[in-house]
Structure formats: C-alpha cells, structure tokens
Amino acid sequence: MILCELAKPRIASGHRFDAGRHWAASLALTFAHRDGATRMVQARHQGPLRVQRPFYPEGRGEACHVYVLHPPGGLVSGDALTISAHVESGAHALLTTPAANKLYKADSQGVAWTQHTRLSVEDNATLEWLPQETIAFDGSKGEQRTQIDLHGSARCLGWEVMALGRPASDLPYVSGRIEQHFRLTLDGKPLWLERQPLDPLHPRFVGRWGQGGATVQATLWAVGLADAPAAIEALREALPDNLRWAVTVRYGVLLLRYLGNSRNEAWALCEQAWQLLRPRWIKREAHTPRIWLT
C-alpha cells in the first residue's frame, strides 16, 4: 500500500515559487472493509486539512461518506495542498467537500500555489470523488494535479468543476494562469492523460478550437461501467439537449465534458449524470450527500 506523502511542489513554467512563504497542508486517508462495513482506518494530516467523522447515510454496509475540510477555504500564493485517498479491496468510499474551493489572486510577486490529489483504488474497490466546484479568482496562478491509480476491477467515478472569475461581481478571469494535469492509470497502464493550461492571454482561451471564451468547464469520469455504450445513450436521452456538453468512452473510461458559462448548469449536469450512472455502475441508487443541501 502506497500513500501519497507531501513532496516539494512542481511549479509549471512561468510560475514562481517562494520557499520562504511555503505553507503546506496534507491529508492521507485509507479505507478498508472491516466487519461488514467500509471503515476509515487511517487519517493522517498536516496543516489545515481535516475530515469530519465518517457517515453511513446509505446503511452501515454501504458507502462510507467523508467530508474533506479545508478551513481556510481556498489557496493563496505559496500554499501547497496535497490530498490522497487509498481504498482497499472490498471497500467503498464517497468523498466530497462542504463548500467551493477558491483560488485567490496571486500576490504582487506572482507566487504560485499548488494542489495535488492522488486517488488509489485496489481491485474490487469503489471510490466516488465528488468535490464541490473550484472558483478561480482573477489573477490566480498555480498548478493542479490529479492522479488516479486503479488496479484490477477497481471502480472510480469523479468530477472536476472549474469556474473562472466571478461574473456576478463583474470580475472576469482576465489575468493569471492555472495549469491542470490529469493522469488515470489501470495496473500502471495510462488510460487518460491530459494537460490543460488556463491562460486568458493565450489564443486558445478565446479561440473556438479551445476554451472559446467559456468561463465554466467540467469533466466527469467513470471507470467500471459494464455497458458504457448503453450508458452513453441513456445520458444523451436524459440530459439537457444543448451544445454545451458531450460524452464519449475510450479505453473503458467514460468522459462527460461541459463547456459554458454557468456554474449551476455545470453542477446540475454532473449531479444528474451521477444519479443516472450510479445504478448502472454499482447497482445502487445515488444518495445525495446532505452537505450539498445546506
């Protein structure tokens, strides 16, 4: 069993990191199947990262729901956040957050932040990674890395919803740079590798071949669907009929993408897709975490 430890942040090109202002926080969770239930058997933390106690809203023998808490509520220049979750064989964990994650404007020196998430799921284990959205303030600079390591018949479903700027306050994202990396492997074999720079000064940010000027984007992934083509057809029939989302499957990974200008629309799309996919995926109805309703 390997858990992700806090490491020296890797900063994307064009970002500046100041070791003297480094504020690190890490959280390492392990879930195991014990006595007929999934239990959180390890929760190691450093700095302002915590979890609330495990919840079992679906029944004691079903998914273990855990809320990941980051009391500061966002990342500023010099922050380095590392979250890892390891799910052992036979266990089922659902992780979410109580509020949006905020990426604040870089300081006058342009010092970057980093955020690294590593999810490891063993054979015959299930993980749902369902954080609330991330809001990037104008001028934010940093790097996000998400690594998902699956083994055998592991099942994993998750999403990332990113809102750029705060249009309701007339504060669009017109400066800064955020670099996103996604890496998903099965038994060490890459299934989905992606790198995306979010830079409002780059032509792809406004080009129709890239971001197209959209301020909100979302990606939902699912691995372990028994009949992905049928699931895609069900999504196309049930989800809103517009040109702001698309769904496909490659190498056993279902990917649903949204590109538009509404956080609420993106979130509703992901939640509805999860509710539709979950019975097909693990033969259980979706159980909305209570924290989403508060």
Side-chain angles (χ1 to χ4, degrees):
M1 178 180 67
I2 300 176
L3 288 176
C4 179
E5 298 291 347
L6 193 64
K8 182 179 180 181
R10 299 172 60 185
I11 305 300
S13 176
H15 290 164
R16 178 176 180 272
F17 183 75
D18 187 341
R21 300 178 51 207
H22 178 56
W23 189 18
S26 65
L27 177 68
L29 307 175
T30 303
F31 298 89
H33 192 261
R34 301 283 191 273
D35 302 321
T38 295
R39 302 185 185 278
M40 186 171 65
V41 296
Q42 181 171 259
R44 296 185 304 179
H45 68 86
Q46 173 187 339
L49 268 175
R50 300 287 192 280
V51 293
Q52 286 188 340
R53 64 178 178 83
F55 298 93
Y56 296 89
E58 304 178 56
R60 197 67 181 174
E62 303 299 335
C64 175
H65 290 221
V66 170
Y67 303 158
V68 178
L69 308 177
H70 183 227
L75 298 176
V76 300
S77 291
D79 282 356
L81 210 63
T82 302
I83 298 173
S84 67
H86 181 86
V87 187
E88 296 184 3
S89 181
H92 180 183
L94 185 155
L95 276 64
T96 187
T97 57
N101 179 33
K102 299 178 179 63
L103 309 176
Y104 292 108
K105 181 178 180 178
D107 63 11
S108 60
Q109 302 301 311
V111 175
W113 48 261
T114 63
Q115 183 176 5
H116 183 193
T117 302
R118 183 168 186 179
L119 311 174
S120 176
V121 190
E122 292 188 6
D123 181 39
N124 193 36
T126 303
L127 175 62
E128 296 172 82
W129 174 254
L130 311 175
Q132 297 203 45
E133 75 275 11
T134 296
I135 302 173
F137 285 43
D138 179 38
S140 182
K141 294 183 178 181
E143 179 185 86
Q144 290 180 315
R145 288 183 177 269
T146 300
Q147 181 169 336
I148 308 162
D149 300 315
L150 308 181
H151 305 274
S153 61
R155 296 172 294 272
C156 184
L157 186 152
W159 62 48
E160 170 69 33
V161 180
M162 171 71 80
L164 299 169
R166 294 176 291 162
S169 301
D170 195 25
L171 294 170
Y173 188 74
V174 295
S175 65
R177 178 185 170 90
I178 298 171
E179 189 162 313
Q180 294 182 315
H181 296 258
F182 291 92
R183 179 181 177 86
L184 188 154
T185 67
L186 176 62
D187 294 328
K189 177 183 177 181
L191 300 182
W192 171 37
L193 305 177
E194 184 170 291
R195 170 184 172 271
Q196 176 179 227
L198 298 173
D199 183 347
L201 301 182
H202 194 282
R204 74 169 296 280
F205 196 81
V206 295
R208 294 180 63 87
W209 50 272
Q211 189 82 6
T215 60
V216 179
Q217 62 184 43
T219 298
L220 178 149
W221 68 84
V223 179
L225 280 162
D227 191 348
I232 287 179
E233 290 305 312
L235 289 170
R236 288 172 176 163
E237 291 179 5
L239 298 182
D241 184 13
N242 60 51
L243 300 178
R244 291 183 292 278
W245 68 273
V247 61
T248 187
V249 61
R250 289 182 62 82
Y251 303 109
V253 182
L254 182 145
L255 288 173
L256 184 149
R257 309 276 198 171
Y258 169 89
L259 194 61
N261 295 291
S262 171
R263 173 271 174 199
N264 291 340
E265 185 176 55
W267 179 265
L269 182 78
C270 288
E271 186 175 0
Q272 188 177 351
W274 169 63
Q275 291 172 344
L276 189 148
L277 289 172
R278 202 176 195 246
R280 294 172 171 269
W281 181 55
I282 56 173
K283 295 182 171 52
R284 298 176 196 166
E285 296 296 325
H287 194 103
T288 302
R290 187 188 309 171
I291 197 70
W292 294 357
L293 307 176
T294 60

